[in-house]
């Protein structure tokens, strides 16, 4: 078995990202750090570790959760009580989030052990739409909406929302697909408004729905396909 395939099946990351992980020296075989992607492996006779943790090839399918992320939790693989990964059942496989929501943002977050699935959602070429509902500091006027629709620069890249719509006097709906850090908050700030609260309610065709804050549910194949506009 190829090393990158083994790592991907263990849920470390996507196949491409696993190659970078090997090159960085984060994988060891029988206690020896390796950098060679072409080395043949046998999971039955070799002890393969990622950052010191022994990997076990799963016998069943990958894990897919939809989490309603609460305030104050971070999206990270680092340890800590305020990590979103602590809100879903413990797994022997590596779990990670498909994209991130900042500490002060709530809403729909996908957690999985399937690196390729995650990459298919967050890769810029996928152009998967994300929908947010934001409460802002002032009564939203037409000029505010016009300013936000013009877009702004985020991390050196120009970001323009797919849609900005007023839903209540101080609440707006924003749809975009780029995935830049704090992009919704910065688009709102570009109109001279402050974000009071922000929640992600949709990724592609997958809706957060009525799932309570801090709760999670497993995603079926049909629900996962909704993200890409497909149906079983």
């Amino acid at each position: 078995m190829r090393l990158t395939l083994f790592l991907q099946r263990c849920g470390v990351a996507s196949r491409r990202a696993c190659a970078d992980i090997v090159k960085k020296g984060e994988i060891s075989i029988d206690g020896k750090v390796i950098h060679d992607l072409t080395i043949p492996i046998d999971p039955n006779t070799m002890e393969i570790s990622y950052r010191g943790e022994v990997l076990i090839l799963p016998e069943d399918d990958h894990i897919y959760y939809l989490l309603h992320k609460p305030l104050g939790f971070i999206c990270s693989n680092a340890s800590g009580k305020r990590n979103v990964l602590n809100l879903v059942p413990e797994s022997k496989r590596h779990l990670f989030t498909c994209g991130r929501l900042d500490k002060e943002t709530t809403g729909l977050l996908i957690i999985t052990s399937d690196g390729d699935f995650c990459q298919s959602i967050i890769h810029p070429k996928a152009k998967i739409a994300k929908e947010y509902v934001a409460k802002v500091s002032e009564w939203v006027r037409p000029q505010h909406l016009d300013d936000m629709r013009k877009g702004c620069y985020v991390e050196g890249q120009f970001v323009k929302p797919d849609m900005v719509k007023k839903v209540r006097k101080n609440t707006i709906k924003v749809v975009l697909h780029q995935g830049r850090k704090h992009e919704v908050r910065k688009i709102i700030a570009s109109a001279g408004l402050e974000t009071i609260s922000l929640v992600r309610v949709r990724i592609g065709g997958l809706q957060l729905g009525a799932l309570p804050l801090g709760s999670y549910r497993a995603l079926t194949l049909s629900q996962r396909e909704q993200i890409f506009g497909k149906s079983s």
Side-chain angles (χ1 to χ4, degrees):
M1 178 183 289
R2 292 183 64 87
L3 178 57
T4 51
L5 175 60
F6 170 80
L7 297 175
Q8 183 268 324
R9 288 188 59 189
C10 287
V12 172
S14 67
R15 191 92 63 91
R16 181 178 298 179
C18 285
D20 292 333
I21 287 171
V22 174
K23 292 175 183 177
K24 290 178 182 177
E26 296 183 274
I27 302 298
S28 62
I29 297 179
D30 295 332
K32 182 180 179 181
V33 174
I34 56 98
H35 299 85
D36 185 359
L37 295 172
T38 64
I39 185 172
I41 65 164
D42 182 353
N44 295 317
T45 62
M46 296 176 172
E47 184 178 88
I48 303 164
S49 301
Y50 170 51
R51 295 179 179 175
E53 182 178 343
V54 177
L55 299 174
I56 300 174
L57 193 66
E59 297 179 358
D60 53 357
D61 294 333
H62 280 295
I63 292 170
Y64 306 89
Y65 292 126
L66 186 161
L67 172 72
H68 188 166
K69 178 191 172 295
L71 281 172
F73 281 76
I74 62 171
C75 300
S76 171
N77 288 327
S79 60
K81 292 182 179 180
R82 305 294 284 181
N83 190 317
V84 293
L85 299 182
N86 292 327
L87 298 175
V88 299
E90 185 177 354
S91 171
K92 293 182 180 179
R93 281 162 284 177
H94 287 278
L95 296 179
F96 41 87
T97 63
C98 294
R100 297 186 176 189
L101 293 176
D102 64 52
K103 193 175 181 180
E104 302 305 318
T105 300
T106 65
L108 195 165
L109 187 67
I110 297 172
I111 295 176
T112 184
S113 61
D114 187 341
D116 288 340
F117 172 74
C118 184
Q119 188 68 15
S120 69
I121 295 173
I122 65 176
H123 196 284
K125 290 184 179 179
K127 296 184 177 180
I128 302 293
K130 288 90 173 177
E131 182 177 324
Y132 298 80
V133 175
K135 182 178 289 187
V136 298
S137 55
E138 300 177 25
W139 194 308
V140 178
R141 301 187 300 273
Q143 186 60 52
H144 290 136
L145 298 174
D146 289 342
D147 289 343
M148 286 185 276
R149 288 168 181 151
K150 292 175 183 177
C152 65
Y153 280 91
V154 180
E155 297 182 319
Q157 296 292 322
F158 186 73
V159 172
K160 187 175 182 179
D162 301 330
M163 184 194 77
V164 178
K165 179 182 178 181
K166 179 179 177 180
V167 293
R168 285 184 291 279
K169 63 180 182 179
N170 67 334
T171 305
I172 58 171
K173 182 181 293 183
V174 181
V175 178
L176 29 66
H177 62 268
Q178 288 91 342
R180 296 283 174 181
K181 186 176 181 180
H182 301 311
E183 59 185 350
V184 180
R185 295 178 185 275
K186 290 183 179 180
I187 287 171
I188 292 171
S190 72
L193 299 172
E194 179 184 355
T195 302
I196 304 302
S197 66
L198 183 63
V199 54
R200 182 161 65 189
V201 297
R202 177 173 65 87
I203 297 179
L206 181 66
Q207 302 277 352
L208 176 62
L211 186 67
L213 194 68
S215 299
Y216 70 91
R217 61 179 170 85
L219 289 173
T220 65
L221 175 59
S222 176
Q223 290 166 342
R224 298 197 302 270
E225 289 181 336
Q226 289 176 16
I227 296 171
F228 308 99
K230 303 175 183 178
S231 60
S232 298

